[in-house]
Amino acid sequence: MDFLRNTRAISKRELASYFESPVAYVFMVVFLMLLGFLTFFVARFYENGQADLRGFFFWHPWVFLMLVPAAAMRLWAEERRAGTIETLLTLPVTAGQAILGKFLAAWIFIGLIVALTFPIVLTCAYLGAPDRGAIIGGYLGSLLLAGAYLAVGMLTSALTRNQVISFVLSVVICLFLLLAGWPPVTDLLVHWAPGWLVRCVAAFSFMPHYEAFQKGVLDLRDFAYYLSVIVFMLFGTHLVLENRKAA
Amino acid sequence: MLAVKHLQKSFGLIQAVRDVSFQVDRGEVLGLLGPNGAGKTTTMRMITGFLPPAAGTALIMGHDISAEPVQAKKQLGYLPENAPVYADMLVWNYLAFIAEIRGFTGRAREERVRQTIESCRLTDVQHQAIGTLSKGYKQRVCLAQALLHDPPVLIMDEPTDGLDPNQKHIVRTMIRAMAARKAIVISTHILEEVEAICTRAIIIHNGAIVANGTPAELKTRSRNHGAVELTVTSPSGDLVNKLQGLAAVARVESQLPRVIAYPRASGDGSSRLTQEIVSLLKANPEWNVTALKTLEGRLDDVFRELTESKQGT
């Protein structure tokens, strides 16, 4: 009872705070314009002559790489810098409720922005008969990927009171997790490393799991992968907060 | 209502708080005094559950802050140093958020926020962003946050720091008004504040309690306590000598036009001292003594003696 109420209250406050500053609007505009540009001019959506959103979803991991850490960097770093973490964590809430509340708020925020790409789905449906499963899978994968990025950003945000440091750290970590399964990187390993190591490194990567969703394949293992990344990162955040609240 | 038991904390090699224990009952306003860096804020952060203590604990209405933090925090209102509140939020929205966490819902929540805004005199600014407010208002928003659920125990870290005299007066009036119903701890380094609102004071130095008593009791520790001060307009040499000759006088300090005679023994010695000086003055009317008073001693002196003499230990 308390758990739900506190998590919801913190989540609501955090979500509102995105919209109380210009942050939310800057994000929306940048995300939508960037994605639009990449889909139509780089991936050549029209010229391809295929009614699918592969070119659209292909860019999500790269656009998220910039935007999601930026949305996550303030979550704890700002609380630390302004000292509000002291007021927040001396309320009758647990650190777990605060972490989950903030995470959900940021995830909903990203979800809202991703939802604003709906015109491209309509366009696609107007032009042809796209594979519905692939689109639903694409969006699901995109949301889960955003969640994993966010969880990484949350951990780096808890580590520092400086938002820039948090941003850079989480971009680097996310980039690594993204590239670990990217063929050019795995090709580097293939020539000398044993196969199990290549598969192991690649399995840590966001990419293969993301691609499965894009094809419309909803595999429980891919869900489990993203959820375990999220849980692991949030748990790390909890440890960090417990150990260095005042730092 | 609040029992602090053997709290300890160190940061690296620095022992910030060593074995601090005290108790605060309903109706008491306890002042935590000490120079900057003495460990006041760290002590408060441990009592409120923000920092885990290295040893010891605090009981708030019987709830152990380490063992059942959520139950303990429910009984607690806390005003942290520098009043950290979300700058982007409107005053009303912020307090509505606090009310939700404090378990108020629906109409009751709205009513509670409205009452709190009124009692903290925030009506004029309730629809402004907190970041645009003056320091005095910001402090009161944070105080409102601490008072919203009418907690039996209230902890305030330098509640009047950085405020102008009018704003200080408002905050002190509010503290005094609710003192009877609550157990209150405030930290401060403004000594007049202690005399104005505290029923008891604790002096902390290098993380340890060096004095604990009512402001009046603490003042008796001052070396001036019980001394008699004479103001002399036309000084004459034998005044000091004759004072020195009195049985009850330990020594005389003369900084014309003020002459201070210190008693041999405090308490009883002080009234004997006054009697002797009065009769001496009656016998020598030509000395032109225009004022005569018994000194209470000053908290400043006690504070300095206790927190300077032990430097480096």
Side-chain angles (χ1 to χ4, degrees):
Chain A
M1 187 57 213
D2 270 12
F3 179 84
L4 281 182
R5 191 194 64 212
N6 291 342
T7 308
R8 203 189 57 190
I10 289 169
S11 204
K12 251 168 53 187
R13 195 210 72 75
E14 196 68 45
L15 188 58
S17 83
Y18 278 110
F19 292 92
E20 265 154 12
S21 61
V23 176
Y25 309 101
V26 172
F27 262 97
M28 279 180 195
V29 172
V30 171
F31 179 80
L32 295 176
M33 281 178 57
L34 202 57
L35 212 50
F37 169 77
L38 292 170
T39 307
F40 287 103
F41 295 96
V42 181
R44 306 203 164 261
F45 178 71
Y46 288 131
E47 288 85 337
N48 273 344
Q50 277 187 15
D52 67 28
L53 291 179
R54 253 198 265 152
F56 167 72
F57 285 118
F58 172 83
W59 290 106
H60 279 208
W62 304 102
V63 177
F64 281 162
L65 188 59
M66 286 295 141
L67 286 184
V68 174
M73 67 186 184
R74 52 189 279 282
L75 289 174
W76 290 105
E78 175 63 17
E79 294 262 0
R80 261 193 220 289
R81 193 198 53 79
T84 45
I85 188 173
E86 193 171 354
T87 348
L88 177 65
L89 294 183
T90 51
L91 289 171
V93 301
T94 62
Q97 291 160 5
I99 290 169
L100 197 61
K102 276 171 177 283
F103 176 74
L104 290 177
W107 208 4
I108 292 169
F109 174 64
I110 298 288
L112 283 177
I113 293 181
V114 171
L116 286 178
T117 60
F118 71 91
I120 199 161
V121 180
L122 298 182
T123 310
C124 202
Y126 174 76
L127 291 173
D131 178 358
R132 242 186 258 169
I135 291 180
I136 292 170
Y139 271 110
L140 260 178
S142 172
L143 276 181
L144 285 169
L145 180 72
Y149 278 18
L150 263 181
V152 171
M154 187 112 173
L155 176 64
T156 62
S157 180
L159 282 168
T160 171
R161 64 173 62 202
N162 185 323
Q163 297 193 24
V164 177
I165 295 178
S166 161
F167 176 78
V168 172
L169 275 179
S170 76
V171 168
V172 168
I173 295 173
C174 289
L175 186 65
F176 171 76
L177 287 174
L178 201 54
L179 291 183
W182 197 242
V185 176
T186 45
D187 285 351
L188 279 183
L189 292 171
V190 156
H191 300 299
W192 56 274
W196 61 268
L197 184 65
V198 179
R199 282 194 299 279
C200 186
V201 170
F204 268 109
S205 167
F206 291 147
M207 227 21 161
H209 303 281
Y210 182 71
E211 278 164 353
F213 277 106
Q214 277 189 72
K215 290 173 196 144
V217 181
L218 304 185
D219 190 330
L220 202 59
R221 280 174 300 180
D222 296 325
F223 279 99
Y225 166 78
Y226 281 117
L227 291 180
S228 57
V229 170
I230 291 171
V231 168
F232 180 80
M233 292 294 168
L234 295 189
F235 189 72
T237 309
H238 194 275
L239 278 182
V240 170
L241 281 184
E242 286 295 305
N243 282 305
R244 28 177 316 181
K245 273 183 204 160
Chain B
M1 308 243 301
L2 171 66
V4 174
K5 292 180 174 168
H6 309 290
L7 280 181
Q8 285 188 32
K9 183 82 185 172
S10 27
F11 300 109
L13 290 175
I14 304 156
Q15 238 197 329
V17 174
R18 32 188 123 190
D19 201 27
V20 165
S21 302
F22 57 83
Q23 209 164 343
V24 190
D25 294 318
R26 187 192 300 274
E28 273 194 300
V29 181
L30 174 73
L32 275 187
L33 304 181
N36 291 327
K40 294 172 298 200
T41 297
T42 306
T43 304
M44 291 187 148
R45 283 179 167 174
M46 287 192 282
I47 297 174
T48 54
F50 183 59
L51 286 179
T57 188
L59 297 179
I60 294 126
M61 305 298 287
H63 298 290
D64 188 317
I65 190 71
S66 310
E68 12 169 21
V70 172
Q71 285 308 315
K73 286 171 183 175
K74 282 185 177 172
Q75 309 292 329
L76 196 70
Y78 178 37
L79 172 73
E81 201 174 5
N82 301 323
V85 275
Y86 299 111
D88 286 341
M89 290 185 91
L90 307 185
V91 173
W92 179 282
N93 293 354
Y94 178 63
L95 293 176
F97 161 66
I98 298 291
E100 195 173 346
I101 297 248
R102 292 293 186 184
F104 296 95
T105 49
R107 295 286 303 266
R109 176 170 144 213
E110 218 151 273
E111 185 57 19
R112 182 48 71 116
V113 172
R114 201 186 52 72
Q115 275 174 10
T116 310
I117 282 181
E118 244 165 54
S119 67
C120 292
R121 308 187 201 186
L122 293 165
T123 317
D124 296 343
V125 298
Q126 56 181 324
H127 300 303
Q128 284 188 37
I130 296 170
T132 65
L133 301 179
S134 71
K135 178 138 198 204
Y137 272 121
K138 213 180 126 196
Q139 191 89 7
R140 255 143 61 201
V141 172
C142 200
L143 188 59
Q145 163 274 129
L147 292 175
L148 187 125
H149 55 303
D150 197 21
V153 178
L154 190 57
I155 314 276
M156 291 182 272
D157 199 349
E158 303 201 349
T160 60
D161 189 46
L163 302 187
D164 72 35
N166 296 336
Q167 295 167 333
K168 272 184 195 170
H169 180 75
I170 293 177
V171 171
R172 281 179 199 163
T173 312
M174 287 175 60
I175 295 174
R176 230 179 276 129
M178 61 198 171
R181 293 176 293 118
K182 297 183 192 301
I184 300 178
V185 180
I186 69 168
S187 81
T188 179
H189 45 229
I190 309 166
L191 294 159
E192 47 161 325
E193 194 155 284
V194 177
E195 293 185 68
I197 51 179
C198 294
T199 57
R200 198 149 59 87
I202 282 178
I203 299 181
I204 294 187
H205 180 51
N206 285 340
I209 294 180
V210 291
N212 180 354
T214 66
E217 277 165 17
L218 290 181
K219 278 198 268 183
T220 64
R221 294 218 199 170
S222 163
R223 61 188 191 97
N224 273 351
H225 178 74
V228 174
E229 182 188 285
L230 300 86
T231 310
V232 194
T233 43
S234 53
S236 96
D238 61 340
L239 167 88
V240 174
N241 290 336
K242 287 228 168 114
L243 277 176
Q244 206 105 54
L246 292 175
V249 171
R251 68 202 162 79
V252 178
E253 265 175 26
S254 164
Q255 266 186 319
L256 294 170
R258 296 192 310 145
V259 177
I260 300 175
Y262 292 92
R264 256 179 220 293
S266 58
D268 190 36
S270 168
S271 56
R272 260 188 44 223
L273 176 74
T274 318
Q275 284 166 12
E276 285 184 9
I277 291 180
V278 168
S279 37
L280 183 69
L281 292 183
K282 276 187 187 149
N284 300 278
E286 74 281 6
W287 280 348
N288 265 332
V289 173
T290 54
L292 180 69
K293 66 173 177 195
T294 306
L295 299 179
E296 283 185 348
R298 294 188 330 141
L299 224 40
D300 284 49
D301 294 334
V302 183
F303 181 83
R304 278 218 305 281
E305 274 165 42
L306 288 171
T307 58
E308 277 181 349
S309 56
K310 288 176 185 156
Q311 208 93 59
T313 57

